[in-house]
Amino acid sequence: MTIRKLAVVTAGLGVPSSSRLLADRLAAATGAALREREVRAEIDVEVEVIELREHGHELVDAVLTGFVTPALRKALDAVAGADGLITVTPIFSASYNGLFKLFLDALEEGALDGKPTLIAATGGTGRHSLALEHAVRPLMAYLHAVAVPTAVFAAPEDWAGGATGVPALDRRIARAAGELADLVAQSPAAAAPDPFADPVPFEQLLRGD
Ligand SMILES: Cc1cc2nc3c(=O)[nH]c(=O)nc-3n(C[C@H](O)[C@H](O)[C@H](O)COP(=O)(O)O)c2cc1C
């Protein structure tokens, strides 16, 4: 049995949240694409959705004090230990929102190194769809994540029916999910972060460094 872990990070503030809706659609499409690619082996796709809205206060405390609560630790570890990552941010002022950036700032250095990642966003206008390319993609490049070529942006008109509505969004979701599944299927399974892997030497602890 092959287990593939997907972490899904969504930074929407609304209740209900269009970013969460897009995140769920992307996760379902990626899970289906992964199962298609592993026809000969049994595969279990584990999906962990991280609603950053629920960690907002903890994130501010973490960046101010360095103290990470158990719930936030679980979310950070889910991302670090995932085989693939899906991120969805609402676009605020033509960029990712502050909550999204706070979470990425709270990740340990190297947590996204080589991580297959699908970047997505929701916005109030289709005119800001390129924020994914000029803001989110460079940020992911800095963090050494491997972002798939197709980024998915959903504006209000994309959720509606019609010639340029839902079918076009469905196609983009399927294409991006297929690209992420290809990358995840090619990669060895990610190891869960081990908090005891790099212990501080005892002599150093005694010295109080
Ligand atoms: C403070 C603020 C700034 C925003 N700025 C933009 C913007 O620059 N471009 C845009 O397309 N949408 C903008 N929006 C709209 C949100 O991106 C949009 O409503 C998003 O889908 C909300 O996601 P959610 O439902 O997951 O919270 C802004 C919304 C807020 C609250």
Side-chain angles (χ1 to χ4, degrees):
M1 166 77 76
T2 314
I3 297 178
R4 291 297 188 174
K5 293 186 210 151
L6 289 180
V8 183
V9 171
T10 172
L13 302 186
V15 182
S17 155
S18 57
S19 305
R20 173 63 192 262
L21 184 61
L22 182 58
D24 288 343
R25 297 269 300 275
L26 289 164
T30 306
L34 271 169
R35 285 184 199 96
E36 271 170 26
R37 280 155 183 76
E38 303 260 5
V39 279
R40 274 171 297 161
E42 276 203 35
I43 177 167
D44 191 11
V45 181
E46 292 178 2
V47 178
E48 175 102 23
V49 179
I50 298 145
E51 277 265 15
L52 296 189
R53 192 177 188 284
E54 293 167 8
H55 299 291
H57 296 280
E58 296 164 288
L59 278 166
V60 173
D61 288 345
V63 293
L64 290 179
T65 66
F67 176 75
V68 174
T69 62
L72 181 57
R73 175 84 271 144
K74 186 168 172 278
L76 295 167
D77 287 350
V79 169
D83 297 300
L85 173 64
I86 295 170
T87 67
V88 189
T89 178
I91 297 301
F92 282 11
S93 306
S95 186
Y96 41 77
N97 72 355
L99 190 57
F100 185 72
K101 183 64 164 45
L102 264 182
F103 183 73
L104 294 181
D105 291 346
L107 286 169
E108 269 86 29
E109 203 181 329
L112 298 192
D113 277 4
K115 182 90 61 200
T117 300
L118 191 170
I119 56 174
T122 60
T125 167
R127 285 193 293 278
H128 282 174
S129 60
L130 284 179
L132 276 166
E133 301 301 335
H134 68 65
V136 182
R137 195 178 291 281
L139 176 61
M140 290 300 169
Y142 173 76
L143 295 170
H144 296 158
V146 181
V148 299
T150 301
V152 180
F153 184 90
E157 58 269 26
D158 290 313
W159 300 108
T164 57
V166 174
L169 179 60
D170 284 346
R171 278 198 300 277
R172 290 204 300 278
I173 288 172
R175 181 171 170 163
E179 291 169 359
L180 181 61
D182 282 341
L183 279 186
V184 170
Q186 286 160 21
S187 320
D194 177 359
F196 306 110
D198 189 18
V200 180
F202 198 57
E203 310 81 69
Q204 194 179 324
L205 286 173
L206 284 175
R207 278 201 308 270
D209 295 352

